[in-house]
């Protein structure tokens, strides 16, 4: 238990930073949409996936691989020094960053044309500069994570997002007030990816300089024999490690490339199609906020599952897998069903009107399946099956592309939402089938399913009755909707948590592995309090 807690504590720092980054990354879009409207939101969301890719690579994928290489070097005795690995990584990622920058910058007009909107070219060129900041940031984060020091990574991530969000909101307000076009406002917003990246890199370099570690790293020589080994690890493992973190971003990229063009094909005018795409994009921050807790909890379970694998304790492994899936499923079900019940007041509270509420309700179902996919992928990666999530994501993207073309012509943005949900369902099923082949016992107990379903029904019925009270008194307006949404979220969340604790979904030892677990155990049923 002591070792387990130490592993959790080590992952907890990065999990908290990741949680803060995800909340910031999702929450700022709400005031931004309020500032620029659905058309301006469409412009920003069209190019955001490219920033999402570079952010994930520089904070999750490459640093994780570099820290892993440093740890394995200590055990394997292969002769590589830490400095050699770091400088080789910097050279390889530097070349990769330049290639990715050049690809996006010099082909920005072609990409914008493929999206059906040539005016996006300038925004894409601005985002391209973020790829030049990725190599150094990735290497320094990997260096400190390899030492077991998570503070530089966590601090740089949080401050990077704070500066980025501040740039986006302040520049947007300034440009709107000075009569700039929405595309100019969008360019100002994506400039935040550069200012944020520079801040993150500044923080990381400050750690190196003030800790006087920069002079040691400069002494490292580059040896060609390191390159094939390091390059293979960075390219293959780096992309596989961060693939699950890229799921939502890549799905957004598919929509950026397809949805506006498909809406135009069914007869919508240019402005109307952009506005409806912007309304559809309201669902992205809702999905991100809905999955952030489940994702963070899944990340804290990776070292625990890895420890069980090293011990070759199958009983312990199955128990931890079962626990991780229970957490992700219960959180995902509560978030998705609660949002569906409250979608109209939430839509008005956040985005000023009820447009697209039906589509957003469909997208809310994604929260459940993305939460489960994140957990399944974390489990499989902990067990050493890093390629499986990559295959699942590729399969899901192909399904999304095909389903968009099938459903959007008939159901407009609701069809795109249904395509998103269906591709997540198929990905979750694919991962579940593979995972089940690797363990001897069922992944989910029937009792757990009954408890989660019962808690969900109880919460949903309560929220439906709660909504009817507002309709009965004919209360309306954004302020009233805000009160309705906030109280409803609190009511639904408390009721769901109380239900699953009292009906024994988790044992005392399981809850103690979670943040605030010591407080949650006091609400357990007496029979489970042992």
């Amino acid at each position: 238990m002591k070792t387990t807690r130490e592993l959790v504590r080590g992952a907890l720092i990065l999990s908290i930073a990741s949680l803060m980054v995800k909340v910031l990354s999702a929450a700022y879009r709400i005031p931004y949409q309020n500032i620029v409207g659905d058309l301006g939101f469409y412009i920003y969301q069209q190019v955001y996936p490219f920033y999402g890719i570079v952010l994930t690579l520089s904070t999750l994928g490459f640093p994780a691989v570099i820290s892993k290489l440093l740890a394995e070097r200590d055990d394997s005795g292969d002769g590589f020094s830490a400095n050699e690995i770091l400088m080789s990584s910097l050279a390889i990622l530097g070349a990769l960053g330049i290639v990715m920058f050049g690809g996006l910058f010099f082909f920005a007009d072609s990409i914008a044309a493929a999206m059906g909107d040539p005016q996006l070219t300038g925004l894409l060129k601005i985002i391209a500069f973020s790829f030049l900041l990725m190599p150094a940031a990735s290497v320094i984060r990997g260096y400190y994570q390899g030492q077991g020091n998570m503070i530089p990574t966590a601090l740089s991530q949080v401050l990077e997002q704070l500066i980025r969000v501040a740039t986006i909101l302040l520049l947007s307000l300034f440009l709107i007030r000075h009569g700039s076009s929405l595309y100019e406002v969008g360019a100002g917003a994506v400039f935040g990816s550069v200012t944020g990246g520079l801040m993150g890199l500044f923080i990381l370099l400050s750690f190196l300089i003030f800790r006087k570690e920069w002079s040691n790293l400069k002494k490292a020589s580059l040896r060609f024999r390191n390159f094939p080994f390091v390059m293979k690890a960075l390219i293959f493992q780096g992309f596989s490690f961060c693939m699950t973190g890229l799921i939502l971003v890549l799905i957004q990229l598919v929509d950026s490339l397809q949805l506006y063009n498909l809406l135009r094909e069914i007869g919508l005018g240019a402005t109307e199609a952009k506005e409806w795409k912007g309304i559809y994009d309201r669902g992205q921050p809702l999905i991100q906020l809905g999955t952030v807790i489940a994702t963070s909890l899944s990340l804290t379970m990776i070292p625990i599952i890895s420890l069980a694998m090293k011990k070759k304790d199958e009983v312990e492994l199955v128990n931890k897998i079962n626990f991780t899936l229970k957490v992700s499923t219960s959180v995902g079900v509560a978030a998705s069903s609660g949002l569906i019940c409250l979608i109209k007041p939430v839509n008005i509270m956040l985005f000023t009107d009820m447009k697209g509420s039906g589509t957003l309700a469909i997208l809310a179902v994604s929260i459940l399946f993305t939460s489960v996919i994140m957990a399944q992928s974390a489990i499989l990666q902990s067990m050493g099956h890093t390629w499986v999530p990559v295959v699942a994501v590729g399969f899901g993207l192909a399904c999304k592309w095909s389903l968009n073309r099938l459903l959007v012509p008939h159901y407009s943005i609701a069809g795109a939402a249904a395509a998103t949900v269906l591709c997540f369902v198929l990905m979750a099923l694919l991962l579940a089938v593979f995972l089940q082949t690797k363990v001897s016992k069922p992944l989910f107990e029937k009792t757990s399913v009954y408890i989660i379903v019962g808690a969900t029904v109880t919460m949903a019925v309560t929220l439906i009755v709660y909504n009817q009270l507002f309709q009965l008194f004919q209360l309306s307006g954004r302020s009233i909707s805000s009160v309705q949404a906030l109280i409803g979220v609190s009511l639904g969340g408390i009721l769901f948590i109380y239900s699953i604790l009292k009906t024994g979904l988790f044992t005392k030892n399981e809850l103690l592995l979670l943040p605030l677990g010591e407080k949650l155990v006091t609400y357990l049923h007496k029979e489970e309090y042992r």
Side-chain angles (χ1 to χ4, degrees):
M1 180 64 74
K2 182 180 178 181
T3 305
T4 298
R5 287 186 176 179
E6 289 176 353
L7 289 169
V8 173
R9 195 177 297 114
L12 191 58
I13 295 175
L14 285 183
S15 296
I16 292 172
S18 177
L19 178 66
M20 295 176 66
V21 167
K22 286 181 171 65
V23 170
L24 284 170
S25 183
Y28 79 89
R29 301 189 205 195
I30 295 164
Y32 181 74
Q33 187 273 346
N34 289 191
I35 294 169
V36 300
D38 291 320
L39 181 56
F41 197 47
Y42 146 83
I43 293 168
Y44 178 78
Q45 284 292 118
Q46 282 291 94
V47 299
Y48 171 79
F50 294 97
Y51 171 72
I53 291 171
V54 69
L55 177 67
T56 306
L57 291 175
S58 63
T59 58
L60 181 61
F62 293 139
V65 175
I66 293 169
S67 64
K68 182 172 180 286
L69 288 174
L70 293 173
E72 289 177 346
R73 173 200 60 83
D74 292 335
D75 296 330
S76 61
D78 57 18
F80 292 177
S81 71
N83 288 357
E84 288 172 355
I85 290 175
L86 291 170
M87 297 308 290
S88 297
S89 299
L90 184 61
I92 293 165
L93 292 183
L96 181 62
I98 292 172
V99 169
M100 297 177 83
F101 162 79
L104 185 56
F105 187 88
F106 293 108
F107 292 94
D109 53 349
S110 300
I111 297 170
M115 291 179 175
D117 191 352
Q119 295 183 83
L120 296 171
T121 299
L123 284 75
L124 291 169
K125 287 185 175 181
I126 294 173
I127 287 182
F129 285 95
S130 299
F131 286 95
L132 297 178
L133 303 174
M134 177 266 293
S138 299
V139 171
I140 299 173
R141 284 172 177 145
Y143 167 68
Y144 281 113
Q145 287 174 216
Q147 292 183 331
N149 184 359
M150 308 302 178
I151 300 298
T153 294
L155 185 61
S156 65
Q157 287 182 21
V158 172
L159 290 179
E160 176 178 340
Q161 287 305 305
L162 282 173
I163 295 300
R164 173 173 164 261
V165 168
T167 302
I168 290 171
L169 297 181
L170 292 176
L171 264 182
S172 299
L173 283 169
F174 176 82
L175 293 171
I176 284 288
R177 290 178 178 177
H178 286 74
S180 300
S181 71
L182 288 177
Y183 283 91
E184 291 172 334
V185 175
V190 298
F191 181 65
S193 65
V194 179
T195 59
L198 287 171
M199 172 55 72
L201 185 57
F202 172 77
I203 296 298
L204 293 167
L205 288 173
S206 298
F207 272 95
L208 280 181
I209 294 170
F210 287 113
R211 291 166 63 101
K212 298 180 180 180
E213 293 168 310
W214 177 250
S215 57
N216 294 332
L217 293 177
K218 288 194 299 183
K219 298 176 183 178
S221 59
L222 291 176
R223 298 183 184 180
F224 180 75
R225 69 188 183 94
N226 295 355
F227 271 65
F229 172 75
V230 177
M231 183 181 296
K232 180 180 178 182
L234 285 173
I235 301 303
F236 291 99
Q237 294 182 31
F239 282 98
S240 65
F241 278 3
C242 67
M243 189 56 69
T244 51
L246 286 172
I247 290 175
L248 291 176
V249 172
L250 294 175
I251 292 296
Q252 290 180 57
L253 181 59
V254 172
D255 282 324
S256 292
L257 293 170
Q258 273 192 308
L259 187 50
Y260 171 70
N261 290 324
L262 290 173
L263 292 174
R264 294 281 284 141
E265 288 177 11
I266 63 176
L268 272 64
T271 301
E272 187 181 10
K274 292 174 183 179
E275 288 177 345
W276 278 110
K277 172 62 166 57
I279 292 169
Y280 173 83
D281 285 332
R282 295 180 184 185
Q284 300 307 324
L286 296 179
I287 295 173
Q288 278 188 282
L289 288 172
T291 57
V292 68
I293 296 177
T295 303
S296 299
L297 291 175
S298 296
L299 289 174
T300 63
M301 296 306 299
I302 291 178
I304 299 175
I305 296 173
S306 298
L307 181 62
M309 284 289 294
K310 289 180 180 179
K311 290 181 177 179
K312 296 182 180 180
D313 186 341
E314 186 174 356
V315 174
E316 180 71 7
L317 176 63
V318 172
N319 288 338
K320 292 300 184 285
I321 290 174
N322 182 266
F323 172 58
T324 303
L325 292 176
K326 283 194 298 185
V327 170
S328 61
T329 303
S330 56
V331 172
V333 166
S336 59
S337 57
L339 182 57
I340 291 170
C341 292
L342 297 167
I343 193 61
K344 289 184 179 180
V346 166
N347 200 8
I348 295 171
M349 177 183 73
L350 299 179
F351 304 111
T352 74
D353 57 46
M354 290 195 303
K355 291 179 181 177
S357 292
T359 296
L360 298 183
I362 297 172
L363 282 172
V365 182
S366 300
I367 297 173
L368 166 59
F369 293 101
T370 51
S371 298
V372 173
I373 289 168
M374 297 294 182
Q376 292 170 325
S377 300
I379 292 167
L380 288 168
Q381 288 172 349
S382 301
M383 296 173 69
H385 304 293
T386 56
W387 62 270
V388 180
V390 177
V391 173
V393 171
F395 173 72
L397 291 175
C399 291
K400 169 65 175 173
W401 187 279
S402 302
L403 289 168
N404 265 359
R405 298 204 62 85
L406 178 65
L407 298 176
V408 172
H410 298 286
Y411 306 104
S412 187
I413 60 172
T420 296
V421 173
L422 288 172
C423 84
F424 285 142
V425 171
L426 293 172
M427 289 169 61
L429 288 174
L430 181 63
L431 292 171
V433 169
F434 183 86
L435 184 57
Q436 187 63 78
T437 64
K438 299 301 174 181
V439 294
S440 58
K441 296 182 180 179
L443 298 176
F444 232 89
E445 299 172 351
K446 289 183 179 180
T447 304
S448 299
V449 175
Y450 296 148
I451 291 173
I452 293 174
V453 170
T456 304
V457 171
T458 301
M459 179 185 69
V461 170
T462 303
L463 290 178
I464 290 171
V465 173
Y466 168 78
N467 286 334
Q468 291 300 316
L469 294 176
F470 280 82
Q471 293 184 8
L472 180 64
F473 293 102
Q474 297 182 339
L475 300 173
S476 61
R478 192 177 187 186
S479 58
I480 295 296
S481 294
S482 299
V483 172
Q484 182 182 354
L486 293 173
I487 294 177
V489 168
S490 301
L491 175 64
I494 292 172
L495 185 59
F496 185 89
I497 293 172
Y498 183 81
S499 297
I500 61 174
L501 291 178
K502 284 299 182 181
T503 49
L505 181 63
F506 300 108
T507 65
K508 178 184 176 181
N509 286 336
E510 287 177 333
L511 286 179
L512 289 175
L513 295 174
L514 297 175
L516 304 178
E518 294 85 354
K519 295 183 179 180
L520 291 175
V521 295
T522 60
Y523 295 98
L524 283 176
H525 190 278
K526 291 183 179 180
E527 293 181 0
E528 296 295 330
Y529 196 88
R530 61 178 186 268

